[in-house]
Amino acid sequence: MKRIILLGIALFMFIGIGSSAVYSQNVTLPASVTNEGKPIKGGILKVGIVKDEPFQGVFLAELYENRYDAAIMSYASNAIFEMDGNFQITDEGIASLDVNQKENKVTISIREGVRWSDGEPLKIEDLILPYEIIAHPDYTGVRYDTEFKNIIGVEEYHEGKADKISGIRKIDGRTLEIRFKKLSPAIFSGGDGLWTYAAPSHQLKGIPVKNLIESDAVRKNPVTLGPFKFHKIVPGESVQFVKNPYYWKGEPKLDGVYVEVVPSSSVSVAIGSGKYDIVTGFAATKWPEIQKYDNIDILGRPELYYSYLGFKLGKWDPEKREVVTDLNATPVGNQALRQAMGYALDVEAVCEVLFFNFRQRANSLIPPAFKGYHDASLKGYTYNPEKAKRILDRAGYIDIDGDGFREDPEGNKLEIKFATMAGDPIQDEIAAYYLQNWRDVGLNVTLTTGRPIEVNAFYDKVEADDPEIHVFMAAWGTGTNPSPSGLYGKSDAFNFSRYTSEFLEETIRKIDSPEAFDPSYRAEQFRIWQQYMAEKASVIPLQFSYEIVPVNKRVKYYSVDYGNPVELHEIELLAKESIKSK
């Protein structure tokens, strides 16, 4: 299942998460909890999503672009596949997958009797429609990327040369065949261009693709396959779900779910007062505020996530839909400068002091959860300001006029614009600390717009290659497929650094090549890719993260275990009101 969730993001071959998750020294939280007592019938599960600004409210898998909309949609998911603890597709979902490696094709079969939340039967056209949306000439989203072009006929359809995608064929009412240019092990994790969601063709088919994102079907009354269905949406603020009477796994035990945005400044008090049964997006920086509450259980797991420092090294060509790298058009085009900026950052102190070791400095763009692919031998950009200074000196970045800031190798004033997202005060403190780190080695780095940028505006600017952004700090939820395809390829809109090269393209191709069915070959290509990215420093990994999930004790059972997640339709409550902390 290919991500894409910004600031967080969705996809892997995860190994080794049990019922208790250990992430770093002194950090151990259970991954599941069972509370004693007789559950009530029905009830509303109250969920708080920590966010300091309104959610966007794009409730269609093919169009959404951030983790908040994804978190809300999870209660009414249109996913057709289920995955095991290693993030491999199983036969236990709405659909099953048969892979024919020799002929580069897959066969998808859907269960009998599955219905949408409005009672309409799920049909093969609902599996075809997402491909037609993403590949449509009028599609303006970000999922028409390197992987998606792997499907035979997609490019011809996108260019208007064909009225259908030749590689997608309906076999019968319950069977679909998709042919690819090549297949790799990524197919078993939802990669290679395979789409893992259905879209209600009976609701969406008549809406022009260019109008979808603003349509009522996406914004106001989405039709879904999950255990709950949308009932009332207060734009940017909250969503009320009610049970889906047609849910294929059976009637949910809850009457519904109420999801509400809660500001980071008040979330801890809200948890203590029992306002929410579950809170997602809780920041580790606020750990001390809740750790002694007696009304909650605190669950945790390593996130499929890394934060990173990205350098703007080119632009996105919207007509060709590809990255155009231009190292001469940016003040951060010098590789040595980027490396020095990485060594100048005291990420280790931030992890320990501000995140209480719920985060650790990242050494690679592959999280350690992918044990077969993560290169633990990479040192990464450890805090070493003296090394940063030496690199800058050798590269010709010298303070010529004695003002404390280095000029560029041509003797010109150097000012680097740094974009970061507005968040809680801790996030602002981190940005200020990093600015000081850079000043300590003689680099004049200032904030784009003079302040942290609201998250939606931040990504608008990053995606648009705003000339006032030279370097930015963001994060990815990597998803079940660890492949860099989709994030770092030449045709990937999510390649926000806008860096590409022939070697990079070839390495990404090898990672997802037929030869990669040999695990040792694929692991070697992952190693080469990680080392190449570390050297080029177009993107510097900053932190691996640990997810903290406070759960009120009135929830009968809850689990964040990747290998044994809670079934949403099975959630039960023990009391009429959330339990308050004493």
Side-chain angles (χ1 to χ4, degrees):
M1 186 184 303
K2 199 60 179 176
R3 48 280 197 194
I4 296 288
I5 309 174
L6 298 178
L7 183 65
I9 245 99
L11 309 121
F12 303 83
M13 202 174 290
F14 190 91
I15 301 172
I17 291 294
S19 61
S20 180
V22 180
Y23 183 64
S24 62
Q25 188 175 7
N26 301 323
V27 175
T28 304
L29 293 174
S32 63
V33 63
T34 300
N35 289 303
E36 297 299 323
K38 184 177 180 179
I40 64 172
K41 183 178 180 180
I44 304 294
L45 184 77
K46 293 178 288 185
V47 179
I49 295 182
V50 182
K51 196 176 191 300
D52 290 315
E53 55 282 311
F55 60 75
Q56 289 185 324
V58 179
F59 300 129
L60 186 69
E62 293 71 31
L63 296 176
Y64 83 93
E65 293 186 12
N66 66 71
R67 67 174 177 174
Y68 304 107
D69 288 352
I72 294 170
M73 283 192 292
S74 67
Y75 298 95
S77 174
N78 289 342
I80 58 173
F81 297 114
E82 291 197 2
M83 293 191 174
D84 61 21
N86 292 327
F87 297 96
Q88 302 288 284
I89 291 173
T90 72
D91 291 337
E92 298 175 3
I94 290 173
S96 60
L97 180 73
D98 180 71
V99 177
N100 186 326
Q101 181 184 347
K102 184 176 180 181
E103 296 184 23
N104 289 332
K105 70 178 182 180
V106 302
T107 302
I108 301 172
S109 303
I110 58 175
R111 291 176 181 266
E112 243 183 304
V114 177
R115 292 181 177 273
W116 290 95
S117 57
D118 61 358
E120 283 290 320
L122 175 71
K123 51 186 181 290
I124 287 300
E125 286 76 8
D126 301 332
L127 274 61
I128 296 174
L129 181 58
Y131 295 96
E132 294 178 339
I133 291 173
I134 295 171
H136 195 278
D138 292 335
Y139 178 72
T140 58
V142 293
R143 289 167 177 82
Y144 183 71
D145 57 15
T146 302
E147 280 199 316
F148 210 77
K149 294 177 182 178
N150 183 43
I151 300 168
I152 290 175
V154 154
E155 292 184 86
E156 291 80 1
Y157 182 81
H158 179 75
E159 294 167 3
K161 298 176 180 177
D163 58 5
K164 65 178 183 178
I165 302 172
S166 61
I168 297 178
R169 183 167 68 98
K170 176 182 177 180
I171 303 299
D172 56 43
R174 292 178 49 217
T175 313
L176 177 69
E177 179 186 276
I178 305 177
R179 292 182 292 123
F180 300 83
K181 296 172 184 176
K182 53 86 180 175
L183 286 179
S184 77
I187 193 71
F188 298 111
S189 301
D192 281 342
L194 179 70
W195 192 246
T196 60
Y197 297 90
S201 59
H202 65 282
Q203 183 192 36
L204 304 179
K205 194 66 175 178
I207 304 173
V209 169
K210 63 181 178 181
N211 298 336
L212 263 180
I213 196 165
E214 297 299 336
S215 68
D216 287 354
V218 171
R219 298 283 189 166
K220 294 182 179 180
N221 55 356
V223 175
T224 66
L225 292 171
F228 301 97
K229 63 179 182 177
F230 288 85
H231 177 64
K232 181 181 180 181
I233 299 172
V234 179
E237 297 180 12
S238 65
V239 175
Q240 175 71 61
F241 293 96
V242 296
K243 65 173 67 177
N244 175 6
Y246 303 104
Y247 184 51
W248 67 280
K249 286 188 177 182
E251 181 182 358
K253 295 180 179 180
L254 292 170
D255 291 325
V257 178
Y258 179 72
V259 182
E260 182 179 49
V261 168
V262 54
S264 58
S265 59
S266 59
V267 64
S268 298
V269 172
I271 291 170
S273 70
K275 183 175 182 180
Y276 300 109
D277 300 312
I278 298 168
V279 170
T280 64
F282 185 83
T285 55
K286 293 185 173 294
W287 166 254
E289 299 176 10
I290 68 165
Q291 62 176 322
K292 292 185 179 180
Y293 283 166
D294 59 6
N295 67 326
I296 59 171
D297 296 290
I298 306 176
L299 308 184
R301 64 182 180 184
E303 284 196 88
L304 311 183
Y305 161 107
Y306 60 86
S307 61
Y308 67 93
L309 195 69
F311 295 88
K312 279 292 184 181
L313 304 178
K315 292 185 178 297
W316 175 255
D317 186 327
E319 293 189 3
K320 294 183 178 179
R321 294 191 65 85
E322 66 181 28
V323 165
V324 179
T325 300
D326 186 354
L327 300 179
N328 296 319
T330 171
V332 293
N334 188 302
Q335 178 177 307
L337 172 64
R338 301 194 298 273
Q339 292 176 340
M341 290 182 71
Y343 285 117
L345 294 185
D346 191 2
V347 179
E348 292 87 344
V350 169
C351 292
E352 180 179 354
V353 176
L354 297 180
F355 290 100
F356 306 97
N357 283 325
F358 281 104
R359 291 193 180 186
Q360 66 181 42
R361 183 184 62 80
N363 70 319
S364 162
L365 296 175
I366 298 290
F370 296 104
K371 293 186 177 181
Y373 301 134
H374 173 75
D375 187 352
S377 69
L378 274 176
K379 298 297 182 183
Y381 286 86
T382 56
Y383 178 53
N384 193 333
E386 295 307 314
K387 183 173 183 177
K389 292 176 184 178
R390 291 194 299 271
I391 292 173
L392 291 169
D393 289 342
R394 288 196 299 266
Y397 290 88
I398 308 295
D399 179 9
I400 298 173
D401 57 15
D403 67 350
F405 292 120
R406 298 170 184 265
E407 276 70 41
D408 69 18
E410 285 72 45
N412 301 311
K413 286 283 187 182
L414 177 65
E415 182 182 12
I416 300 170
K417 294 288 189 177
F418 172 51
T420 182
M421 283 171 278
D424 59 38
I426 295 292
Q427 295 299 325
D428 296 344
E429 184 178 341
I430 293 170
Y433 184 54
Y434 286 164
L435 289 174
Q436 185 59 54
N437 286 162
W438 284 319
R439 292 189 190 101
D440 290 343
V441 299
L443 293 175
N444 182 22
V445 184
T446 60
L447 288 177
T448 300
T449 73
R451 62 183 63 85
I453 305 168
E454 184 273 328
V455 60
N456 295 326
F458 171 88
Y459 274 111
D460 287 343
K461 288 179 176 292
V462 169
E463 290 183 45
D465 301 321
D466 189 310
E468 290 299 301
I469 297 178
H470 303 142
V471 58
F472 60 95
M473 188 164 60
W476 283 123
T478 56
T480 53
N481 174 20
S483 169
S485 179
L487 292 182
Y488 296 103
K490 185 175 182 178
S491 299
D492 300 333
F494 278 138
N495 183 350
F496 289 149
S497 73
R498 310 309 189 200
Y499 177 76
T500 187
S501 70
E502 290 184 8
F503 183 84
L504 177 57
E505 284 293 289
E506 180 65 11
T507 305
I508 292 175
R509 187 198 66 77
K510 288 179 178 178
I511 287 172
D512 290 336
S513 66
E515 292 82 2
F517 278 101
D518 177 347
S520 61
Y521 176 89
R522 196 173 197 224
E524 175 64 11
Q525 296 308 314
F526 267 112
R527 185 192 65 79
I528 292 170
W529 177 75
Q530 289 168 84
Q531 293 185 348
Y532 178 79
M533 293 298 286
E535 177 189 354
K536 295 301 179 184
S538 58
V539 172
I540 293 177
L542 295 177
Q543 296 174 332
F544 296 133
S545 183
Y546 189 85
E547 184 177 5
I548 299 172
V549 184
V551 180
N552 193 277
K553 289 185 181 292
R554 82 157 181 158
V555 178
K556 173 67 176 176
Y557 171 77
Y558 200 75
S559 172
V560 296
D561 190 331
Y562 288 117
N564 187 31
V566 67
E567 291 274 3
L568 294 178
H569 71 293
E570 293 288 345
I571 293 177
E572 297 177 289
L573 302 175
L574 295 177
K576 293 183 179 180
E577 299 294 336
S578 296
I579 300 170
K580 298 180 180 180
S581 181
K582 296 178 182 178

